[in-house]
Amino acid sequence: MFDRRKFIKSSAISASLLAIGKSSIANIIPAPLAAPAAKPLVISTWDFGIAANHAAWGVLSAGGRALDAVEKGVQVPESDVKNQSVGLGGLPDRDGIVTLDACIMDEEGNCGSVAGLEHIEHAISVARMVMEKTPHVMLVGDGALQFALENGFKKINLLTPESEKAWKEWLKTAKYAPVMNIENKLYDKASPTRLPGNQYNHDTIGMLALDAKGNLSGACTTSGMAYKLHGRVGDSPIIGAGLYIDNEIGGATSTGVGEEVIRNVGSFLVVELMRQGYPPEEACKEAVMRIIKKKPAKAKEIQVGFLALSKKGQYGAYAIQKGFSYAVCNEENQSLLIPGKSYY
Ligand code: SD4
């Protein structure tokens, strides 16, 4: 259980520290100093969230809708060929096929999702179209692709030469062994050298936004675990697992080993805990603890991180392993990068 008195005290300290100033470059601040910020506000997973937040901020700062902001925001990593875990250039499955998972949810509880989608750069926009143009929530595989093509999306090859090379390298051993805690090195500006592709098994962008009207929306998009079995679906397109929004309470999203998030209906759990009064970080921590408690022996080997945003604009995160970061963008600072707290 969280300590309410301690939380209120640390929030007060945070508010004064956040007034330190504006910056156009990423400022890394410790999580306890992250104060609740006024709306509008957008937060997203990992270091690459900074660039994605900037795109979302363009919508939010102009008074736009959170739903439009999160779609625009996550399109940035989807188009980034250097990002091997989301969209174009994502690492393929075991058979060398890039398959995308994505979902989106708005302030009215509407949601749309695609899983195992091939050949389309912006899976998130197909998910939004499923939400807005069909009576369904989720389309998968060939059906999702057919729907996208019928609705004007362009068919492209998502497998870049770099990702194909990494896959061929992986095929030499074909061992599925996720390596933890290295995700954000991919985006370490100081040392952009990559480790061999087979070590980059996951990184998903989950984004949550609160617009000027006080409405919440969220988006989550990924190429999923690298070298997964063809047909494997992770948590990212599953409403309640990879993403959940309740406009009365808040929103949550996840990254990491999707199977563990699905087993615990992670993002829904985080939002329900916030409904019970948990601040965002404490809600994320409790959701992480549920995973650890069920699998104490396995916990050391897996990474799961949750990120949450409350209706009031409070935010927080918690992960099993160190190395999980999240980006925050609001009026005061558009490029905050916050190291998420972790169990280990
Ligand atoms: C999945 N949760 O497919 C995704 C991968 C991920 O950080 O989030 N990586 O299981």
Side-chain angles (χ1 to χ4, degrees):
M1 266 308 230
F2 63 93
D3 179 335
R4 274 174 206 275
R5 260 185 304 171
K6 231 160 84 191
F7 173 73
I8 290 164
K9 203 168 141 205
S10 83
S11 297
I13 297 168
S14 312
S16 52
L17 282 167
L18 249 202
I20 286 169
K22 300 181 184 204
S23 172
S24 57
I25 54 150
N27 294 328
I28 300 183
I29 62 165
L33 306 185
K39 57 184 193 280
L41 170 75
V42 57
I43 64 176
S44 56
T45 53
W46 304 112
D47 302 19
F48 54 51
I50 291 179
N53 284 355
H54 289 167
W57 184 250
V59 176
L60 294 173
S61 59
R65 190 177 167 202
L67 182 72
D68 296 324
V70 294
E71 182 188 11
K72 253 233 146 66
V74 303
Q75 280 179 347
V76 173
E78 280 186 337
S79 292
D80 182 357
V81 287
K82 285 193 247 118
N83 182 330
Q84 289 182 296
S85 53
V86 182
L88 177 62
L91 290 170
D93 63 20
R94 193 186 63 168
D95 300 335
I97 303 163
V98 182
T99 61
L100 306 179
D101 290 347
C103 76
I104 194 160
M105 193 161 186
D106 75 7
E107 73 279 5
E108 290 175 4
N110 299 309
C111 46
S113 150
V114 288
L117 175 66
E118 294 174 36
H119 303 301
I120 304 291
E121 186 171 336
H122 292 303
I124 199 66
S125 301
V126 184
R128 180 170 178 174
M129 211 172 260
V130 172
M131 172 174 92
E132 291 179 338
K133 286 201 167 178
T134 80
H136 309 305
V137 165
M138 189 172 201
L139 293 180
V140 304
D142 288 348
L145 177 61
Q146 185 189 336
F147 172 77
L149 296 176
E150 281 169 8
N151 282 282
F153 286 85
K154 223 172 85 202
K155 187 172 180 178
I156 61 163
N157 176 18
L158 295 173
L159 187 65
T160 56
E162 291 74 21
S163 289
E164 188 172 9
K165 200 169 150 218
W167 168 63
K168 287 193 171 148
E169 193 58 38
W170 175 81
L171 276 181
K172 288 180 188 164
T173 55
K175 215 169 112 194
Y176 186 71
V179 176
M180 295 303 144
N181 288 335
I182 55 163
E183 293 88 349
N184 53 4
K185 282 193 190 146
L186 245 182
Y187 290 89
D188 181 356
K189 287 125 235 126
S191 73
T193 345
R194 288 163 187 237
L195 295 168
N198 66 338
Q199 297 198 338
Y200 291 107
N201 276 314
H202 60 88
D203 259 11
T204 290
I205 184 148
M207 178 177 276
L208 306 165
L210 182 63
D211 63 28
K213 287 190 178 144
N215 285 323
L216 287 159
S217 289
C220 186
T221 177
T222 188
S223 49
M225 304 293 267
Y227 320 126
K228 60 196 174 186
L229 287 182
H230 185 64
R232 177 265 187 189
V233 173
D235 58 322
S236 307
I238 312 278
I239 297 296
L243 176 75
Y244 194 70
I245 299 290
D246 183 323
N247 204 41
E248 281 183 5
I249 305 297
T253 188
S254 65
T255 179
V257 181
E259 282 74 4
E260 298 306 329
V261 179
I262 295 171
R263 287 184 183 114
N264 292 277
V265 201
S267 292
F268 181 73
L269 175 61
V270 171
V271 172
E272 286 306 299
L273 289 165
M274 289 198 288
R275 191 190 303 281
Q276 291 169 27
Y278 282 65
E281 182 184 304
E282 297 301 326
C284 293
K285 183 176 178 181
E286 176 59 23
V288 159
M289 293 314 295
R290 299 267 176 108
I291 296 172
I292 294 172
K293 270 183 224 155
K294 280 183 197 162
K295 298 209 168 134
K298 213 182 151 198
K300 260 208 154 73
E301 295 154 30
I302 52 172
Q303 172 66 309
V304 169
F306 290 107
L307 177 66
L309 173 64
S310 81
K311 178 81 174 166
K312 292 182 190 141
Q314 300 166 307
Y315 51 83
Y318 201 84
I320 300 179
Q321 312 289 340
K322 282 197 193 74
F324 176 44
S325 56
Y326 65 100
V328 177
C329 174
N330 59 21
E331 185 62 38
E332 281 81 38
N333 193 328
Q334 271 100 65
S335 307
L336 275 180
L337 185 64
I338 300 182
K341 284 193 189 163
S342 61
Y343 181 74
Y344 289 111

